[in-house]
Amino acid sequence: METHSPAEVLFLLVARRLTSLPGMQAREAILALRAEVAKVVVGQDATLTGLVAALLVGGHVLLEGVPGQAKTLIAKALAASLDVSFSRIQFTPDLMPSDVTGRLVIDGFAEGRSAGGSGAAFRFIPGPIFSQVVLADEINRTPPKTQAALLEAMEERQVTVEGTARRLPSPFLVVATQNPIEYEGTYPLPEAQLDRFLFKLHVGYPAPSDEAAVLAAHDAGLDPHDLSAAGIRPVASAAEVESGRREVAAIRMEEKVRLYVLALAQATRQSRSVRLGVSTRGAAMLLHASKCWAWLSGRDFVTPDEVKAVVKPVFRHRILLRPEVELEGTTSDSVLDSLLASVPVPR
């Protein structure tokens, strides 16, 4: 039987409590969003809530799980439930950076030049990154050169091509997927790339009752590849997402809780099991994610419980364990469990 730490239990509880949020407009939109996605995705409450939280914080999500656990489907269903633009990039070994960001093409002769002159003009053709929700499917199957094309986009919300910076739309969410069991022909994401993700979420098997519901839906004729036929429609707008972001930013965090966030980040750098600890960006992401979790819980202030709930998804991909520790079977999550138990919790 699978067990969960107290922090994981709170993560799951918040995922389920979204069905009882009070009636503010942004929260109502989130409720409607969840209901739409639930038409085709069952048993992945925590994953969906993590995606919603990333959308509200302005972060990005890395989904890791074995094939067939609805990683791609949940991202597509979320985008279809939002009134935003969506694109899917299938990462392959031959994908080039310009296939992601876009390229300049010759667009005839520049105005005012004669046909015999040399004034060819260039036109920019945007790549699929110029969407509000971008699914980066199997991101670790493309070489580092192409992976790096996402760095500027994910951090600065812009793409620079031939010296010209072009802003990306808002809201902007990258949902990347990867398979944890296949390593042949893959390129592990470098630390700089991983640090751009707000959350790394493990997409596991659903509970037996949820899996039975999935089979029943397929038996009744559900086609997960045809979201419109499944009744998925946009129920939340970009404006409502921006409103939710403002509400999340206004959540209060007392200094002692902020110092608790800092203490957890510093503990990863001091741990004997860790070769590389959490960056300052990672600590800031924990702060923002904690605020969002408080908002999702219906509070206007952050408690240490919210911080604990999101430590693992925010930190697990930001720490590098020592090789000898990994050989012993220790995982990032188990190290974070020990740090949560050792760092004093403010009252």
Side-chain angles (χ1 to χ4, degrees):
M1 180 177 178
E2 186 179 4
T3 59
H4 298 284
S5 69
E8 290 171 316
V9 169
L10 182 57
F11 192 102
L12 293 167
L13 285 175
V14 170
R16 292 160 187 161
R17 281 186 59 185
L18 280 173
T19 57
S20 61
L21 288 173
M24 297 178 67
Q25 183 176 355
R27 287 196 175 100
E28 288 178 348
I30 298 302
L31 286 178
L33 184 66
R34 282 177 52 85
E36 284 299 299
V37 177
K39 291 178 180 179
V40 293
V41 178
V42 179
Q44 298 293 351
D45 287 347
T47 302
L48 175 56
T49 305
L51 289 172
V52 169
L55 188 66
L56 292 169
V57 170
H60 310 285
V61 179
L62 177 62
L63 301 180
E64 184 175 86
V66 298
Q69 294 310 122
K71 298 188 300 296
T72 299
L73 177 60
I74 195 171
K76 291 171 61 179
L78 176 71
S81 303
L82 289 163
D83 188 16
V84 297
S85 57
F86 170 74
S87 63
R88 174 179 178 176
I89 308 172
Q90 190 65 48
F91 280 77
T92 56
D94 60 347
L95 193 72
M96 299 297 292
S98 59
D99 295 328
V100 175
T101 60
R103 67 192 73 199
L104 289 173
V105 297
I106 297 178
D107 191 25
F109 291 94
E111 293 183 9
R113 299 291 185 105
S114 65
S118 58
F122 290 89
R123 176 168 55 92
F124 178 70
I125 299 179
I129 198 68
F130 284 86
S131 295
Q132 290 166 298
V133 177
V134 178
L135 172 59
D137 219 0
E138 298 191 87
I139 190 173
N140 59 335
R141 292 196 178 277
T142 200
K145 180 180 180 180
T146 304
Q147 291 175 1
L150 290 173
L151 287 174
E152 180 185 17
M154 293 173 67
E155 179 65 18
E156 301 180 35
R157 308 303 195 267
Q158 69 177 27
V159 168
T160 302
V161 178
E162 297 296 331
T164 301
R166 293 174 169 86
R167 296 297 300 173
L168 294 171
S170 181
F172 176 66
L173 170 68
V174 173
V175 182
T177 70
Q178 67 178 18
N179 182 345
I181 62 173
E182 292 183 5
Y183 297 102
E184 186 175 351
T186 63
Y187 304 85
L189 296 178
E191 287 70 34
Q193 186 79 58
L194 288 170
D195 204 33
R196 262 62 174 188
F197 288 100
L198 172 66
F199 292 141
K200 179 182 179 181
L201 301 176
H202 294 316
V203 185
Y205 294 108
S209 59
D210 292 328
E211 199 161 15
V214 171
L215 294 181
H218 278 265
D219 187 44
L222 172 68
D223 181 1
H225 304 295
D226 190 350
L227 297 180
S228 59
I232 300 291
R233 58 186 179 86
V235 294
S237 66
E240 286 167 326
V241 172
E242 293 296 340
S243 177
R245 286 184 173 183
R246 289 191 294 270
E247 291 180 17
V248 169
I251 296 294
R252 293 181 292 109
M253 177 180 282
E254 293 186 11
E255 183 181 12
K256 60 184 179 182
V257 180
R258 190 167 63 250
L259 292 176
Y260 180 54
V261 169
L262 178 60
L264 288 169
Q266 291 177 335
T268 66
R269 304 165 196 164
Q270 298 163 0
S271 171
R272 294 182 178 180
S273 300
V274 177
R275 179 160 55 98
L276 179 66
V278 171
S279 67
T280 304
R281 180 194 288 118
M285 290 298 99
L286 179 58
L287 181 148
H288 293 304
S290 301
K291 283 189 170 189
C292 188
W293 228 247
W295 184 83
L296 292 174
S297 301
R299 281 194 287 272
D300 62 355
F301 61 94
V302 181
T303 72
D305 285 339
E306 278 82 52
V307 178
K308 291 180 185 178
V310 293
V311 162
K312 285 186 180 180
V314 174
F315 278 4
R316 62 165 57 110
H317 55 295
R318 290 185 161 92
I319 62 175
L320 281 181
L321 302 184
R322 296 187 181 279
E324 61 272 21
V325 172
E326 289 186 292
L327 288 174
E328 295 172 357
T330 302
T331 64
S332 296
D333 281 10
S334 61
V335 170
L336 292 172
D337 277 331
S338 65
L339 295 181
L340 283 168
S342 64
V343 176
V345 180
R347 294 185 179 275

